[in-house]
Amino acid sequence: MANSIMLLESLGVQNWTYIIVGITFTLYIGIAIWSRAASTKDFYVAGGGVSPLANGMATAADWMSAASFISMAGIISFAGYDGAVYLMGWTGGYVLLALLLAPYLRKFGKFTVPDFIGDRYYSNSARFVGVICALLVSFTYVAGQMRGVGLVFSRFLEVDINTGVMIGMFIVLFYAVLGGMKGITYTQVAQYCVLIFAFMVPAIFISIQMTGNPIPQLGFGGQLADGSGTYLLDKLDGLSTELGFAEYTEGSKSMIDVFAITLALMVGTAGLPHVIVRFFTVKRVKDARKSAGLALLLIAILYTTAPAVSVFARTNLIETVSNKPYESMPEWFKKWELTGLIDFDDKNNDGNIQYLADASKNELVVDNDIMVLANPEIAKLPDWVIALVAAGSLAAALSTAAGLLLVISSSVSHDLIKKMVNKKISEKGELIAARLSAVVAVVVAGYFGIHPPGFVAATVALAFGLAAASFFPAIILGIFYKRMNKEGAVAGMVVGILSMLFYMLKFKFGWFGGGGKEDWWFGISPEGFGTVAMILNFVVSIVIVQFTPPPPKKVQNIVENIRIPSGAGKATGH
Amino acid sequence: MTKQEKDAKQQKATAYWIENIKYLFILLTIWFLVSYGAGILFKDALNQIKVGGFKLGFWFAQQGSIYVFVVLIFVYVRLMNKLDKKYGYGE
């Protein structure tokens, strides 16, 4: 007994990571083989009979990407109050989704989002605009996921970052191509369990260490465990101002920008095709509503813990490094330095680390992405916890990548090939086309993962902005405004997308004369401009409708029909 | 279906839709007030109030609004299930 405990302790982070990642990967592949897709309906919507709880879990895993798991708590820990834009933006969208979109789209009962756009606006040009938006949004997103997979592999298994991306590609390829939506749904259920466990365990450990409270959500508002009676947040506010940063609980963005970014992210969330399509997989309208609630509940567990983790990590980091000699830094510091994600430059040659807000005197740069990954090491937690975090990040990245790849492949095989190019394609032919396009999509995503274009970070904001500026108004008006016609919808989507692209290109890439922060319209950053573009879309759509003929009677009947929940039947592509 | 039956069916559908919209309006008002209201617009005023170690505006922005979002969806699910039954649209 004593021997085996000794053995467990001597395993080390790397072996633990091999073991835990190995077990989870075997599990995903096992599920994929068990849930192969036999029909296009299996492939696109998992046969349409997924239970609300399974769909809620799958939606949560689908939604929580490498960005939520790895980056978000880190970003918040550097942004303080301003980090709320992500917390509220990426959860509040589910309220819109549950109340305004999911039930009606489920009643509509087709396979994809461009399907709805194409049928509701009785036009293949509308469908085509939908396909382009879906592809654009999904590809920008998926490249980031592959990069996340590579990052985790390279740090924890010490393989080359490119080899890491290849391994990730292989795994996703296996279950997305074989199982389609059915395979993805059930692997996502498993991945949710892995990722939430991996996120909560270190958070609970650290919360007990720092505040004595096992619930992180309460712990970060509590007093320090050292008996000083000081509140953790007061201490962090003090540390921050001492080093010249803004007070942690105050933030530094303008109110209008916080408002605009939050709204753009919320509306963008509700307009993301890989999230919307999940609600096509349940049986009844009632189930769609319920599973949206369950999805948000399961997401909220991570999203309410993340800001606590941010506070713990930020406090720990400052206390570990600030004004401490470089030589005395623990092992994790040196390891992360090797990856380039921690960078120390001893400007005043005193051998100590000065970590300050003032860029000319600051000597330490810490990348957002390592706060969650390094957090267990900073807090000196056991090796298996560190390995668990690695497995959790992989689960988060892979589940989102798979969901996005499915949107890409169904946009191509269903919306482009079946609905526009070759209407007579057989069920079998369509299934083959779906699988082939999934393969191509994985390869393209992997290529971007290995050779990340410099604009990945910028395009994630673009993905949300585009979804907010295009799909959201078109779908909402399609449901709530019966008079809405194709002229209005197409004009609105085109204006929305183009204005979003223009603003991004101008302020992120310096085109059209470029410009800095002081030139932003109404003081709104490119990240928040989706809100303005969305409003433009609404205004243009509604104005154009007044001067163009109403939609045909048949389409008005569709609208009346989707407003009534009964008789949804199963999702159908015909 | 006679014209009368058709009209009755249409009236029922319209009544259901109006009640649905009323629920949406109330729930989305709360949605707006906790996030954009308490978490952003009135954050500074609420920050004067402290609950434990939390300034209240900060708490709404990083915790409270999310809890309310979850509750809102489940309230909506309940309300709609009842409404569906009332109009015979339940399954």
Side-chain angles (χ1 to χ4, degrees), chain A residues 273-571:
Chain A
H274 72 287
V275 177
I276 295 177
V277 75
R278 288 240 46 106
F279 296 95
F280 290 113
T281 67
V282 294
K283 225 178 200 153
R284 296 164 300 181
V285 170
K286 194 174 152 176
D287 298 334
R289 294 180 195 131
K290 188 170 165 197
S291 76
L294 288 168
L296 182 60
L297 176 67
L298 297 168
I299 290 168
I301 297 174
L302 188 143
Y303 271 65
T304 52
T305 307
V309 170
S310 311
V311 170
F312 301 146
R314 179 90 182 147
T315 313
N316 260 338
L317 176 78
I318 293 177
E319 295 210 302
T320 310
V321 302
S322 184
N323 282 320
K324 297 280 171 15
Y326 175 67
E327 287 312 314
S328 73
M329 282 299 114
E331 197 194 340
W332 61 262
F333 191 94
K334 310 264 155 74
K335 272 195 177 168
W336 284 104
E337 256 189 318
L338 291 177
T339 62
L341 296 176
I342 286 185
D343 187 39
F344 171 63
D345 168 20
D346 196 2
K347 288 179 184 152
N348 61 1
N349 290 316
D350 67 350
N352 289 341
I353 300 174
Q354 269 82 39
Y355 179 51
L356 300 163
D358 180 354
S360 64
K361 289 191 190 131
N362 177 39
E363 301 179 342
L364 182 73
V365 178
V366 181
D367 191 279
N368 290 334
D369 285 351
I370 69 168
M371 294 308 277
V372 165
L373 297 177
N375 205 19
E377 292 169 284
I378 298 177
K380 303 185 188 85
L381 296 181
D383 290 346
W384 65 268
V385 177
I386 300 166
L388 194 60
V389 171
S393 346
L394 288 171
L398 291 177
S399 57
T400 308
L404 291 161
L405 290 169
L406 192 92
V407 167
I408 295 170
S409 78
S410 59
S411 294
V412 173
S413 65
H414 185 73
D415 299 315
L416 274 186
I417 297 178
K418 164 95 182 170
K419 291 287 174 121
M420 295 173 82
V421 179
N422 178 7
K423 290 190 179 158
K424 288 194 206 98
I425 192 167
S426 69
E427 155 101 11
K428 218 172 157 191
E430 194 186 338
L431 193 56
I432 293 171
R435 291 199 155 119
L436 280 179
S437 32
V439 173
V440 175
V442 175
V443 173
V444 174
Y447 174 83
F448 282 128
I450 293 171
H451 306 280
F455 52 83
V456 161
T459 46
V460 169
L462 179 64
F464 278 93
L466 279 178
S470 60
F471 286 133
F472 185 77
I475 299 175
I476 290 287
L477 290 171
I479 297 165
F480 289 87
Y481 189 29
K482 216 197 294 176
R483 174 81 168 67
M484 189 63 200
N485 61 14
K486 71 173 173 200
E487 289 83 359
V490 172
M493 283 197 284
V494 170
V495 169
I497 291 168
L498 290 182
S499 56
M500 185 66 214
L501 279 172
F502 167 79
Y503 203 77
M504 290 293 302
L505 290 171
K506 183 170 169 66
F507 290 107
K508 283 269 180 187
F509 296 86
W511 295 19
F512 312 113
K517 208 174 166 175
E518 61 290 347
D519 303 315
W520 288 349
W521 303 357
F522 324 109
I524 292 174
S525 59
E527 285 75 16
F529 193 75
T531 299
V532 180
M534 172 197 72
I535 295 171
L536 276 176
N537 181 338
F538 271 115
V539 171
V540 168
S541 298
I542 291 168
V543 169
I544 300 260
V545 167
Q546 312 309 321
F547 302 100
T548 42
K553 187 77 186 119
K554 201 179 129 212
V555 171
Q556 301 197 21
N557 287 342
I558 296 182
V559 179
E560 282 184 7
N561 188 272
I562 58 177
R563 290 177 176 184
I564 292 167
S566 56
K570 290 199 170 168

Side-chain angles (χ1 to χ4, degrees), chain A residues 60-118:
Chain A
D62 203 345
W63 171 242
M64 292 190 286
S65 60
S68 296
F69 191 96
I70 303 176
S71 312
M72 193 177 64
I75 295 173
I76 299 168
S77 87
F78 292 99
Y81 163 80
D82 293 342
V85 298
Y86 302 107
L87 295 167
M88 292 193 286
W90 286 340
T91 53
Y94 276 84
V95 178
L96 299 176
L97 198 60
L99 273 57
L100 303 176
L101 302 174
Y104 311 107
L105 291 175
R106 175 61 198 87
K107 176 64 193 295
F108 175 70
K110 293 290 171 76
F111 285 163
T112 66
V113 175
D115 244 354
F116 176 80
I117 303 282

